[in-house]
Amino acid sequence: MKSILMSGALALSLTSAPALANSFHVQAGSIYAGSGQGPQLWLVQGNGNGKGNGQNAGKGNGHKPKNAKGNGHGKSNAGGGKSKGKPGKGHDRAGNGGKPEHAGGPKSIKKAATGNSAKGNGRRAFTDDERRAEVKRISSISAPSGRDMALILGGSALGLATPQLLIAETPQDELITYRNCPPGLAKKDPPCVPPGLAKNGVGYDEWASYDDDRYDDLWIERREEWLRRDREIDPNPNLLLLQSDEIEMLYGLDPAPEGQRYGLIDGMPVLLDDQDYRSLLLVNQMARVTDGMVGAPVAPTAALTQDELVELYRLPRPGADQNYAVVNGQLVELDDSDYELLQLIRVARAIL
């Protein structure tokens, strides 16, 4: 087993984040994390009284580990066989301590220019000094209790939600242990289904009946369509905040295989080949960063619903076709079509 010790000598200065400054050990197909607890951000828990489905909630559903992938068209056998681990029940509830400086409800903020989707939105790239300072700042911010994907991934394998899972009765702490129900889609109607597919009539039961191969096929279809579109922009990696090696250190991952790199979508680390990465860069380039998002106390390992993002970061309610997400540690706003692509990457390329 390869071990990586997260110490104060790391460039990310993770010693200032008690919940992240544990020893992390990595084995093919799995992540193991220490269980240290640190100060937690304030978070409103929307469904603390819900109950999971006793017969189906928490089952691994036999999905294959994906610690390494090829070029998007094949699956690795890393980790070997079917996962027998059960996802954690997530019984820890959101902390009820004091509110951080930015909490307290939504406020009006000035929107940044959205620009032309074919040309990007005119966002300015990070300078090296800006990026280093911001990475150091957010690395000291702990995810809310029950929402830290670094701890969840370290404790158990992620499962796939099935049609039998009673979404409305399943606590969010448990829902985020199901890889095919991203937190930003968990409270949508239908739940868990990316918006474009939902508009085309795909319901929860159909979406949850898919296996890994089907999710992979859906992502590749959308990726190829996305990359064929004519655009007047070139992908700019300097618009991403956290880089692959920083995500690797944050989660204690093995180095990405040659030709691949890590990304981070709503707390979930993903392993990307060149085509996947180009798609992520373009989606990120279409995203908007408003004045109110700059300097927000973003916890990069947190997996939060749309409502939780609004409450925690004091954002205005998104419009009917708008969505919030955290991409490589940066809070952004996306249209439905771009958000769907982002969530398909999260489902199909998740690190398990």
Side-chain angles (χ1 to χ4, degrees):
M1 175 183 291
K2 178 175 181 179
S3 297
I4 301 175
L5 180 62
M6 305 293 286
S7 70
L10 293 177
L12 288 179
S13 301
L14 294 183
T15 51
S16 57
L20 299 179
N22 301 294
S23 295
F24 283 68
H25 304 283
V26 181
Q27 189 174 18
S30 303
I31 305 174
Y32 298 91
S35 58
Q37 294 296 321
Q40 300 296 319
L41 294 177
W42 171 79
L43 177 69
V44 171
Q45 172 77 337
N47 61 352
N49 295 324
K51 296 181 179 179
N53 184 311
Q55 295 180 344
N56 295 282
K59 293 187 178 180
N61 294 308
H63 61 277
K64 290 178 282 186
K66 294 185 177 181
N67 194 49
K69 279 185 174 283
N71 61 4
H73 294 278
K75 291 187 179 288
S76 168
N77 289 324
K82 296 183 179 181
S83 170
K84 296 182 180 179
K86 296 182 180 181
K89 294 291 183 181
H91 292 303
D92 290 339
R93 291 295 179 256
N96 59 2
K99 300 178 183 179
E101 179 182 354
H102 295 279
K107 65 177 181 178
S108 298
I109 60 176
K110 181 180 178 182
K111 290 272 187 177
T114 59
N116 187 316
S117 63
K119 298 181 180 180
N121 60 20
R123 280 168 54 193
R124 184 175 64 83
F126 291 99
T127 67
D128 289 343
D129 287 343
E130 288 171 340
R131 201 177 65 77
R132 279 193 294 268
E134 185 66 4
V135 167
K136 182 177 180 179
R137 184 182 72 84
I138 67 170
S139 295
S140 69
I141 301 173
S142 301
S145 180
R147 301 292 191 276
D148 192 334
M149 289 305 297
L151 296 180
I152 290 169
L153 288 168
S156 57
L158 297 184
L160 291 177
T162 66
Q164 292 75 34
L165 182 67
L166 301 179
I167 295 293
E169 298 181 12
T170 304
Q172 188 59 40
D173 301 30
E174 185 176 321
L175 273 183
I176 63 175
T177 68
Y178 296 103
R179 178 168 46 86
N180 55 343
C181 192
L185 297 174
K187 300 302 180 181
K188 299 278 189 177
D189 185 18
C192 309
V193 184
L197 293 172
K199 290 174 183 176
N200 289 333
V202 175
Y204 170 75
D205 286 353
E206 179 179 349
W207 170 256
S209 70
Y210 297 157
D211 60 12
D212 274 343
D213 290 334
R214 180 56 179 147
Y215 291 126
D216 192 60
D217 290 342
L218 278 172
W219 160 235
I220 292 172
E221 290 169 10
R222 288 299 311 276
R223 184 189 71 186
E224 298 307 312
E225 176 188 347
W226 172 262
L227 294 178
R228 282 196 300 267
R229 296 178 187 174
D230 291 330
R231 291 186 179 83
E232 299 177 26
I233 58 172
D234 292 321
N236 185 355
N238 292 322
L239 286 174
L240 288 176
L241 180 54
L242 290 170
Q243 301 297 303
S244 180
D245 59 337
E246 293 161 339
I247 296 167
E248 174 190 323
M249 287 190 290
L250 191 63
Y251 285 82
L253 299 169
D254 290 327
E258 185 176 354
Q260 297 179 297
R261 66 199 78 196
Y262 294 115
L264 187 60
I265 301 170
D266 292 328
M268 177 72 77
V270 292
L271 184 61
L272 310 172
D273 64 22
D274 286 342
Q275 296 292 81
D276 298 334
Y277 182 62
R278 180 178 174 85
S279 300
L280 180 67
L281 290 178
L282 288 170
V283 170
N284 183 62
Q285 216 149 326
M286 301 302 163
R288 295 174 292 279
V289 176
T290 65
D291 293 344
M293 295 176 179
V294 177
V298 174
T301 63
L304 304 174
T305 68
Q306 293 292 303
D307 285 344
E308 289 167 348
L309 288 167
V310 168
E311 294 291 342
L312 188 60
Y313 301 130
R314 297 189 63 194
L315 300 170
R317 294 283 169 185
D321 60 346
Q322 302 295 312
N323 309 268
Y324 293 121
V326 178
V327 180
N328 281 40
Q330 186 175 26
L331 186 60
V332 298
E333 183 180 30
L334 293 155
D335 296 334
D336 270 353
S337 60
D338 298 334
Y339 185 71
E340 173 170 77
L341 202 78
L342 187 70
Q343 297 307 318
L344 285 173
I345 299 174
R346 191 183 191 273
V347 170
R349 295 294 182 257
I351 296 290
L352 304 179

